[in-house]
Amino acid sequence: MRADEIEQVRGLRIFEGVEKRHVDSMLRISFLQRFPQGVELVREGDPADFLHVVVEGKVEVFSGYRDRETTVAVLGPGQCFIMAAVVLDRVYLKSARSLTAARILLIPADAVRQCFEQDGAFARCLASDLAGAYRMVVKELKNQKLRSGLERLANWLLAHQEEIGGNMRFELPFEKKVLASRLGMAPEVLSRSFGALAPYKVNVKGAMIEIRDVEALRKLARPTPTIDDPKS
Amino acid sequence: MRADEIEQVRGLRIFEGVEKRHVDSMLRISFLQRFPQGVELVREGDPADFLHVVVEGKVEVFSGYRDRETTVAVLGPGQCFIMAAVVLDRVYLKSARSLTAARILLIPADAVRQCFEQDGAFARCLASDLAGAYRMVVKELKNQKLRSGLERLANWLLAHQEEIGGNMRFELPFEKKVLASRLGMAPEVLSRSFGALAPYKVNVKGAMIEIRDVEALRKLARPTPTIDDPKS
DNA sequence: TCGGATGCTTGATCTAAGTCAACAACACCC
DNA sequence: GGGTGTTGTTGACTTAGATCAAGCATCCGA
């Protein structure tokens, strides 16, 4: 990796508080790679060879079983994936593909593990990150087991609207079929669910969403901190 | 905590490779407490005040939303819970209750965090544990999103049978309604699902299960390492 | 030993969600 | 501009699973 590229990624959250020389020794042997849209970046079941960090673009994390497939998460800049597999030196549990053209930082897994062994600050970083990731998945599991499809959609809309700064009009950040898979439903069901939100004054026109009565939507969604609050 | 009690729990996996003085300083201010069956040990939404480790008995980890409730996991001796909440100093995402009479080791959360800051080996321990826990939940999420109720039951039977040493005749380790909740279905559905397994030569008599044709069951279940293998 | 919980099963019914198929709305590309 | 493929919508139908209600079995404590 070139020196100017190293500077671009040094500020990433996973390196926070980590000794500069350790960061550098990792980055020097890393790759900052560009991918076109629709490329499979990692495949479920393969041994974990790189820690991946999204620098630019969107990445879909998904998993297949028999003839089914489901989206586990959609990641943006700054987020990294398959950390657990790298730390434990196991196989990937999920696959990932680029949803848009993307730039990904690839850090060799053994370098990560070596730094993990040597630098306490880095170990703490990873532990905190893993703890956060763990809580995210737990929330998602509860979301799946405890809510209906319509409730999941309503809560996702509220959470996303919050995330992008509270604007009541926004575009869906990815295709509806991806959203459907992310929410754990068939595309047809998502379509109908959007229809079912019309009485709650949710306007859908293509990818444009307008929430014209947050209170009504919130009353339907009934968000709860232990599932929906990203900060808790 | 008394000296003889400390000796009983020093060997727990989370203390592996951690400096003795750090372990001792944590344990000295910890509690080894007995609980009768059916006690709520932690409540979802409360701030994390203790790291809990099951020493004896069974603990059900569950979560509620509106009028629904679901079991996230059932833990036995040696397993600890709500580690992520303790590390990040957040609220519990799940509740827990004793399923049997139980002995639980309670380590004050701030002591854990302090040791986490000071001892790199402990931080690595926690990171590995968190990574393992993370992968477990990811598998469970996939299990939920990608499989039908019957498939989940069939795979659970195979996994449990494996876990207890390969015996084809065994007792369910907890009540059927807990298993139903764990598998994400209504108790009635579990009952019928057991019925549906009869053609696959699975015999059910009360809590006693007998698998009389593993191959048939395995052909139905189609286990896959990235969901069902606890070692991967 | 007799109630009375509680847990489990079974049947009937209802509902959410998946499936299949047709079609509309686009975007892309020659 | 007119295919051509992809995404999204809509309708009809099927199915998995939830719910409700009744009936048993088992455990337990008075």
Side-chain angles (χ1 to χ4, degrees):
Chain A
M1 211 167 119
R2 296 192 319 263
D4 64 311
E5 291 178 329
I6 292 185
E7 290 315 309
Q8 286 177 26
V9 298
R10 193 197 298 286
L12 289 169
R13 195 171 40 88
I14 49 159
F15 301 131
E16 210 165 277
V18 182
E19 280 186 49
K20 192 168 179 297
R21 63 190 177 94
H22 282 148
V23 176
D24 281 356
S25 76
M26 273 193 291
L27 288 181
R28 226 173 298 121
I29 54 168
S30 299
F31 310 91
L32 186 59
Q33 208 160 326
R34 279 178 196 280
F35 295 94
Q37 191 217 77
V39 171
E40 191 167 72
L41 304 168
V42 313
R43 187 194 306 268
E44 179 175 352
D46 285 355
D49 45 3
F50 290 100
L51 175 62
H52 295 234
V53 188
V54 183
V55 176
E56 224 181 282
K58 288 202 176 75
V59 170
E60 179 185 12
V61 179
F62 67 99
S63 175
Y65 175 71
R66 297 198 183 194
D67 58 341
R68 299 155 231 176
E69 186 181 303
T70 193
T71 303
V72 178
V74 179
L75 305 178
Q79 300 187 274
C80 67
F81 54 105
I82 45 172
M83 203 152 59
V86 168
V87 169
L88 298 177
D89 199 5
R90 305 265 177 81
V91 301
Y92 299 128
L93 290 182
K94 305 168 275 186
S95 305
R97 68 168 73 96
S98 54
L99 223 46
T100 64
R103 275 170 81 207
I104 312 280
L105 173 63
L106 302 166
I107 313 175
D110 41 11
V112 174
R113 281 191 293 272
Q114 200 178 321
C115 186
F116 172 71
E117 291 302 332
Q118 288 167 1
D119 186 344
F122 188 58
R124 276 182 277 274
C125 255
L126 288 191
S128 299
D129 247 55
L130 282 166
Y134 170 79
R135 287 169 70 86
M136 196 122 308
V137 196
V138 167
K139 289 180 206 165
E140 187 51 35
L141 181 62
K142 289 166 57 177
N143 193 36
Q144 280 295 322
K145 286 183 83 174
L146 292 167
R147 299 218 256 234
S148 71
L150 189 62
E151 287 172 325
R152 291 199 294 277
L153 172 58
N155 278 293
W156 183 89
L157 285 172
L158 288 172
H160 181 72
Q161 181 263 342
E162 190 88 10
E163 192 190 329
I164 59 169
N167 204 320
M168 290 305 163
R169 252 178 79 85
F170 56 89
E171 271 202 354
L172 292 178
F174 35 78
E175 290 173 335
K176 284 185 185 167
K177 64 169 183 171
V178 176
L179 179 58
S181 175
R182 171 61 250 282
L183 294 176
M185 55 174 98
E188 296 94 323
V189 178
L190 176 63
S191 214
R192 285 183 238 273
S193 296
F194 270 127
L197 287 181
Y200 298 88
K201 306 230 173 85
V202 175
N203 249 337
V204 184
K205 187 89 183 179
M208 274 303 292
I209 309 290
E210 187 178 8
I211 299 173
R212 285 175 43 236
D213 184 351
V214 224
E215 273 321 306
L217 186 58
R218 196 166 280 137
K219 216 171 141 192
L220 169 74
R222 288 230 234 164
T224 176
T226 58
I227 298 184
D228 307 286
D229 185 359
K231 291 185 300 299
S232 98
Chain B
M1 211 167 119
R2 294 193 319 263
D4 64 311
E5 291 178 330
I6 291 184
E7 290 316 310
Q8 286 176 25
V9 298
R10 194 197 299 285
L12 289 170
R13 196 171 41 88
I14 49 159
F15 300 131
E16 210 165 277
V18 181
E19 279 188 50
K20 191 169 180 298
R21 62 189 176 94
H22 282 147
V23 177
D24 282 356
S25 77
M26 272 194 290
L27 287 181
R28 224 172 301 122
I29 53 167
S30 300
F31 309 92
L32 187 58
Q33 208 160 324
R34 280 178 195 281
F35 296 94
Q37 190 217 75
V39 171
E40 190 166 72
L41 302 167
V42 313
R43 186 195 304 269
E44 181 175 352
D46 285 356
D49 44 4
F50 291 100
L51 176 60
H52 295 234
V53 187
V54 183
V55 176
E56 224 182 281
K58 288 201 177 79
V59 170
E60 179 184 14
V61 179
F62 66 100
S63 176
Y65 175 70
R66 297 196 182 196
D67 58 341
R68 298 155 233 175
E69 184 181 303
T70 193
T71 304
V72 179
V74 178
L75 305 178
Q79 301 186 275
C80 67
F81 53 105
I82 46 174
M83 203 153 58
V86 168
V87 169
L88 297 177
D89 199 3
R90 304 266 177 80
V91 300
Y92 298 128
L93 290 183
K94 304 168 276 185
S95 305
R97 68 168 75 97
S98 55
L99 224 45
T100 64
R103 274 170 81 208
I104 312 279
L105 173 63
L106 301 166
I107 313 175
D110 41 10
V112 174
R113 282 190 294 271
Q114 200 179 321
C115 186
F116 173 71
E117 291 303 332
Q118 289 168 359
D119 186 345
F122 188 59
R124 276 182 278 274
C125 257
L126 288 190
S128 298
D129 248 55
L130 283 166
Y134 170 79
R135 286 169 72 86
M136 194 123 309
V137 195
V138 167
K139 290 180 203 163
E140 187 51 36
L141 181 62
K142 289 167 59 177
N143 193 36
Q144 280 294 323
K145 285 182 85 174
L146 292 168
R147 298 218 258 233
S148 72
L150 189 62
E151 288 173 325
R152 290 198 294 276
L153 172 58
N155 278 293
W156 184 90
L157 285 172
L158 288 171
H160 182 72
Q161 181 262 344
E162 190 89 11
E163 192 190 331
I164 59 168
N167 205 318
M168 290 305 164
R169 251 178 80 85
F170 56 88
E171 272 202 354
L172 293 178
F174 34 78
E175 289 172 336
K176 284 184 184 167
K177 64 170 184 170
V178 176
L179 178 58
S181 175
R182 172 61 251 284
L183 295 175
M185 54 176 99
E188 296 94 324
V189 178
L190 177 62
S191 213
R192 286 183 238 273
S193 296
F194 270 127
L197 287 182
Y200 298 89
K201 304 229 174 88
V202 175
N203 248 336
V204 183
K205 185 90 181 178
M208 273 303 290
I209 308 288
E210 188 178 7
I211 299 173
R212 285 174 42 235
D213 185 351
V214 225
E215 273 321 306
L217 186 58
R218 194 167 280 135
K219 215 171 139 192
L220 169 74
R222 287 231 234 162
T224 178
T226 58
I227 299 185
D228 306 285
D229 185 359
K231 291 185 300 299
S232 99

